[in-house]
Amino acid sequence: MFSAFSTVIKPRRRDLLGGFMVGRALPSVEQRSVGPFIFFDHMGPASFAPGKGLDVRPHPHIGLATVTYLVVGEIMHRDNLGSVQAIRPGDVNWMVAGEGIVHSERTKLEVRRVGHKLHGIQCWLGLPKQHEKAKASFTHHPANKLPTRDKADSSIRLMLGTGFGMKSPVKVFSPTLYADVILIDGASVDVPADHPERAIYVVEGAIDNGGKAVEAGEMVILLPEVEATIKAKGKTRCVVIGGAPLEGPRHLWWNFVASDKALIEAAKADWDAAVKGKISDRFGPPPDEKELIPLPNM
């Protein structure tokens, strides 16, 4: 039986915060990227006891755009552009690092006072060379402003780019697809072949195509130029990513992404200077933040 499913990636899971598990699907040995997506992390699901929460101190990025999408919970974003924005399930936080940005991700005091849960996806998208040094920016898109297609047995929300007959209002820099798909048991949906590269990550449940199944916590690369009809095995949630590949490979070092290693070396020097107290236009602290994560020894 023919299947449009190609390579299956089983992310390596790591414990980052004493029970807060993160699975990294991209980059992997099997697949470095999918379209512009160069980094894909599945966070949780995790339960935090009262008083506990997420505390990712201020850190820098260059040469990429990040998108955070939550299934459960809330994260407070702060950056050195002055942005202070909570993200909740269904919303999109779209941060363009470009020439350089600094941000933190934390759990608000009022949320951490009681037990709470956190579950979501974080992705990095590489920027085309002509936009690598773009001015940094941050935009928040609430769930009710994103296009959706609801049926009796399925729901699709388009976060980025184009797909499933919809177009997201988020400004992207290259052809992109990022959609959240929810299916009841036995429901099917067609994943169009209108992007050169596509992949599906199963967040909950399982999917089948042509007799080949992919379980929760796994990513499957789709064959190019082939429409894939996926069928849910149990109540299922998955995200579909894709787009056109970047015009060349990208170097990844810590939180820096660039087509030229010299850009990364310059960012390392600038961040190290900022951590040591030098005032920096591109790497200043976000509002109400002082402690910067030091440059790692890598």
Side-chain angles (χ1 to χ4, degrees):
M1 185 179 296
F2 175 80
S3 175
F5 289 176
S6 179
T7 306
V8 175
I9 299 169
K10 297 183 178 182
R12 54 194 185 278
R13 301 274 293 174
R14 297 183 301 154
D15 188 341
L16 296 186
L17 296 169
F20 184 57
M21 302 299 295
V22 173
R24 183 157 300 165
L26 298 175
S28 68
V29 173
E30 299 88 352
Q31 188 85 16
R32 298 296 298 173
S33 60
V34 175
F37 289 81
I38 57 176
F39 181 97
F40 185 106
D41 265 4
H42 179 191
M43 309 180 297
S47 296
F48 290 92
K52 302 294 183 179
L54 192 67
D55 278 305
V56 181
R57 295 171 294 160
H59 57 281
H61 290 285
I62 66 165
L64 55 79
T66 71
V67 57
T68 301
Y69 188 76
L70 295 182
V71 176
V72 175
E74 178 180 320
I75 296 175
M76 177 61 72
H77 164 97
R78 288 182 173 85
D79 64 47
N80 65 326
L81 302 177
S83 311
V84 178
Q85 176 65 58
I87 182 171
R88 301 179 180 90
D91 298 346
V92 163
N93 272 4
W94 179 243
M95 186 180 76
V96 179
E99 63 182 357
I101 199 168
V102 180
H103 76 127
S104 65
E105 297 162 295
R106 298 186 185 272
T107 301
K108 292 193 302 186
L109 289 176
E110 51 266 45
V111 174
R112 71 172 69 218
R113 285 195 184 104
V114 297
H116 60 100
K117 299 180 183 297
L118 186 63
H119 188 196
I121 304 290
Q122 284 196 325
C123 297
W124 296 357
L125 286 76
L127 299 176
K129 289 182 180 180
Q130 68 185 88
H131 298 293
E132 276 188 298
K133 299 179 184 179
K135 185 177 180 180
S137 63
F138 174 85
T139 52
H140 175 76
H141 299 267
N144 62 5
K145 299 298 183 181
L146 297 172
T148 60
R149 192 186 81 186
D150 294 325
K151 295 184 177 181
D153 60 356
S154 65
S155 176
I156 302 174
R157 174 178 286 121
L158 188 69
M159 286 95 82
L160 301 178
T162 59
F164 300 97
M166 298 180 287
K167 182 177 181 179
S168 168
V170 182
K171 181 185 176 182
V172 294
F173 294 86
S174 61
T176 303
L177 165 64
Y178 189 23
D180 179 23
V181 180
I182 300 174
L183 303 169
I184 68 170
D185 183 25
S188 298
V189 67
D190 296 329
V191 180
D194 49 3
H195 287 281
E197 297 182 354
R198 298 162 299 153
I200 302 172
Y201 183 85
V202 182
V203 179
E204 301 168 328
I207 57 174
D208 177 272
N209 172 263
K212 188 173 182 179
V214 178
E215 307 292 333
E218 297 179 342
M219 175 179 283
V220 63
I221 307 301
L222 301 184
L223 294 173
E225 301 179 358
V226 176
E227 182 176 89
T229 300
I230 59 173
K231 184 176 182 179
K233 300 175 65 178
K235 183 180 178 181
T236 296
R237 186 174 205 147
C238 57
V239 293
V240 182
I241 65 172
L246 297 170
E247 70 277 52
R250 291 297 184 270
H251 303 287
L252 279 71
W253 189 91
W254 191 37
N255 300 311
F256 301 141
V257 174
S259 60
D260 184 346
K261 288 184 178 180
L263 296 175
I264 292 178
E265 292 303 315
K268 288 164 65 175
D270 286 354
W271 179 248
D272 190 47
V275 170
K276 293 175 180 176
K278 182 179 178 180
I279 297 176
S280 172
D281 289 335
R282 75 162 166 167
F283 287 150
D288 303 318
E289 295 277 14
K290 294 181 180 180
E291 186 182 6
L292 307 181
I293 296 179
L295 202 68
N297 294 318
M298 297 174 63

